[in-house]
């Protein structure tokens, strides 16, 4: 018997050791006993980080939707697979059983086929958190099409970039979306994006807000009538283990967003196994992850991980503050949620409103609390533990990335003793390493360095769509023969890890990964701007917020600075999305640069953090004189 469900610390250590000493045997047993294969693999793992190339379960054939849906029908056909909780609490929630999910996914898959989508084609999904989103994702997987979900908060320009990068021929969207008291014109955003996406042939439109929208002849089709006429039977396409399951874009520190490519079998095995253990999911539990399926958290831990375990997973369309700050807890009470998984930024925002919002509701169903996306500060951890969890529900602080596909470092609840702000121990099969700046591994405890992973794990991204060289340069070139995460971490006296934050130019704002380069590009489009630099600074709710230093062109004109700030933020909103707007904008005479012309962000970061005591040696800068001026005018 494989160790699919770990229940004690002793068992964790024993299984961990096995997973490191004999990784292939270990993963083979997990894969063999807990999944449905059309054909078994010839080889469990082949890898070479110098290329880099990683293949898991080569030779195997499967379809992930048969694992997530079909195989549960005999025993869990009437069990709820997805609970849809709408934005507005007055609208009824929907309970979709595994059988209904099967039928709806088959219908959607047949619709995609009837619109000409074939195995290997890319389909862009730009939908709000409504059931059609999960169903579209699964329908793509059913027929072997590659889904590329774009978070429905991204702007038309950001959407167009993502559609064109992987050459999607179809977009699935909705007339609009609800967000608290507001509605968003999603279809209008798609229309604008498609002005620069000539290869998109079809747009399927779900009806959500019943708005009056423009439907373009021969391109746009309402989804519902097609679904109504489609068959509820769609045989699953048989996929190879390394066939691409999906592409998901994430920000890089430079350049355009990276389309991380995830493959099928390894991703399935790892997300299922982590879900089972890190949430200690039991058969009749109700699990809720508040993320959006537009992010990796939603892919792995709303859709694939829970469904492959036959779990009941909640999809929430709304926001934590609507209609009031009790909404999360009202949902926990309503659906008797057992596992609750959210982001530190949401915890901080809710904690700020006071405990009364939590205390109004019965949260006694909660067993496990989770966090993801950014470091959680001590205060937020304690509030979560005491006010929400009543010190009964362990907090799993889960560290991972879009690139890793699944959770990498995390406590196992009721197994690993937790420690505030620590993600604690590596999950089964994960071999972390801390590196110093010279490329030496820091062995032993009480060390701090750059976080790498030394050995492949099943759900790691295989490449960047269309740019394998960038994949190699970004992740496998900083440290030889290791995957470099871009994060810093420390290991304490017992070997627990604490993630200290990014060591590159990626800034995590409210749990969203934002690269500085695309934001600076957007700002620099403003005709009055000469150049700009973005850094992060601490923010009590968002974790980090964005501080922009902007140098204007010297035209001799005087401009109203407040208007300029508004225009700059509007540009950012248009090019990327409202999530990337700047909290502070400082106009500068110049930006500190090295003699080779590189902007010294380290200095700007310190000024934004109001820590100017130790700026280092600035005399070697090209223009040291600008620094004092920036300090004097800092915000
Ligand atoms: O810096 C780390 C931070 O989020 C980054 C990954 O962002 P993304 O690809 O958008 O995926 C987020 C959801 C998995 C990481 O490089 N991060 C994620 N989880 C944690 C974290 N930082 C500290 N603690 C965490 N638990």
């Amino acid at each position: 018997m494989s160790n699919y469900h770990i229940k004690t610390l002793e068992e964790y250590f024993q299984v961990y050791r096995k997973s490191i000493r004999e990784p292939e045997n270990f993963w083979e047993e997990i894969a063999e006993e807990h999944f449905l294969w059309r054909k078994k693999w010839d080889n469990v793992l082949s890898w070479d980080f110098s290329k880099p190339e990683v293949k898991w379960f080569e030779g195997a054939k499967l379809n992930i939707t048969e694992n997530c849906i079909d195989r549960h029908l005999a025993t869990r056909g009437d069990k709820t697979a997805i609970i849809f909780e709408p934005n507005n609490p007055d609208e009824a929630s929907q309970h979709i059983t595994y059988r209904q999910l099967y039928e709806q996914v088959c219908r959607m898959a047949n619709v995609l086929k009837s619109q000409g989508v074939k195995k290997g084609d890319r389909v862009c999904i730009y939908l709000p958190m409504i059931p059609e989103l999960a169903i579209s994702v699964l329908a793509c997987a059913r027929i072997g099409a590659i889904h590329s979900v774009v978070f429905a908060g991204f702007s038309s320009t950001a959407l167009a970039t993502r559609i064109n990068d992987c050459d999607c021929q179809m977009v699935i969207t909705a007339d609009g979306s609800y967000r608290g008291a507001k509605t968003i014109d999603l279809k209008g955003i798609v229309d604008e994006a498609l002005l620069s996406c000539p290869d998109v042939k079809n747009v399927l439109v779900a009806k959500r807000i019943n708005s009056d929208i423009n439907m373009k002849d021969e391109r746009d089709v309402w989804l519902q009538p097609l679904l109504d006429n489609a068959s509820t039977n769609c045989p699953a396409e048989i996929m190879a283990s390394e066939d691409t399951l999906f592409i998901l874009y994430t920000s890089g520190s430079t350049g355009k967003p990276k389309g991380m490519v995830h493959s099928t079998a390894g991703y399935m095995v790892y997300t299922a196994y982590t879900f089972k253990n890190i949430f200690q999911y039991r058969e009749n539990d109700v699990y809720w992850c508040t993320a959006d399926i537009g992010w990796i958290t939603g892919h792995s831990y709303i859709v694939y991980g829970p469904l492959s375990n036959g779990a009941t997973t909640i999809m929430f369309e709304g926001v934590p503050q609507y209609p009031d700050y009790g909404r999360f807890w009202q949902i926990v009470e309503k659906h008797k949620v057992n596992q609750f998984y959210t982001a530190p930024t949401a915890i901080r925002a809710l904690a700020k409103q006071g405990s009364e919002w939590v205390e109004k509701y019965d949260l006694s169903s909660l067993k496990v609390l989770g966090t993801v996306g950014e470091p959680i500060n001590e205060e937020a951890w304690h509030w979560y533990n005491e006010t929400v969890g009543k010190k009964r529900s362990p907090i799993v602080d889960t560290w991972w990335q879009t690139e890793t596909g699944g959770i990498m470092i995390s406590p196992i609840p009721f197994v690993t003793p937790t420690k505030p702000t620590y993600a604690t121990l590596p999950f089964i099969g994960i071999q972390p390493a801390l590196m110093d700046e010279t490329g030496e591994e820091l062995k032993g405890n009480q060390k701090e360095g750059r976080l790498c992973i030394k050995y492949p794990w099943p759900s790691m991204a295989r490449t960047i769509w269309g740019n394998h060289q960038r994949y190699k340069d970004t992740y496998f070139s900083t440290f030889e023969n290791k995957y470099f995460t871009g994060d810093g971490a420390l290991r304490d006296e017992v070997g627990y890890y604490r993630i200290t934050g990014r060591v590159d130019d990626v800034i995590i704002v409210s749990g969203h990964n934002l690269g500085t380069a695309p934001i600076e590009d957007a700002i620099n489009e403003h005709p009055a701007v000469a150049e700009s630099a973005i850094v992060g600074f601490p923010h009590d709710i968002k974790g980090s917020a964005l501080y922009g230093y902007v140098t204007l062109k010297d035209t001799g004109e005087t401009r109203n600075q407040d208007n300029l700030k508004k225009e700059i933020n509007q540009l950012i909103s248009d090019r990327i999305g409202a999530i990337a707007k700047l909290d502070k904008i400082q106009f500068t005479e110049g930006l500190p640069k090295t003699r080779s012309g590189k902007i010294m962000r380290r200095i700007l970061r310190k000024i934004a953090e109001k820590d100017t005591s130790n700026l280092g040696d600035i005399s070697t800068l090209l223009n040291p004189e600008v620094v004092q001026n920036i300090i004097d005018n800092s915000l």
Side-chain angles (χ1 to χ4, degrees), residues 609-620:
E609 288 166 0
K610 301 204 181 306
D611 170 19
T612 49
S613 56
N614 179 19
L615 290 181
D617 181 10
I618 58 170
S619 65
T620 58

Side-chain angles (χ1 to χ4, degrees), residues 20 26 28 110 112 119 125 134 137 147 166 170 213 221-222 233 247 268 273 336 365 397 422 473 506 532 565:
I20 302 310
F26 173 77
E28 175 154 49
N110 283 322
L112 296 181
K119 178 176 176 175
I125 303 177
V137 161
H147 55 80
C166 65
M170 173 184 273
I213 58 163
V221 195
W222 287 106
N233 176 30
I247 301 166
M268 172 182 78
Y273 186 53
K336 299 194 172 48
S365 58
D397 176 351
Y422 280 73
D473 295 345
V506 171
S532 61
K565 288 182 183 177

Side-chain angles (χ1 to χ4, degrees), residues 383-452:
W383 185 83
Y384 200 27
N385 182 39
E386 286 154 31
T387 308
V388 179
K390 323 285 186 230
K391 295 191 180 169
R392 279 192 311 259
S393 309
I395 296 177
V396 290
D397 176 351
T398 65
W399 173 82
W400 58 298
Q401 308 178 297
T402 305
E403 294 85 338
T404 69
I407 297 168
M408 303 288 280
I409 303 181
S410 169
I412 296 178
F414 310 105
V415 170
T416 323
T418 58
K419 176 173 176 181
T421 77
Y422 280 73
T424 75
L425 297 173
F427 189 70
I428 306 299
I430 302 306
Q431 301 189 36
L434 296 180
M435 312 297 291
D436 73 12
E437 289 185 15
T438 68
E440 285 301 309
E441 182 173 350
L442 298 159
K443 300 224 162 127
N445 290 339
Q446 290 190 293
K447 294 283 166 9
E448 180 164 358
R450 284 155 194 243
L451 180 62
C452 287

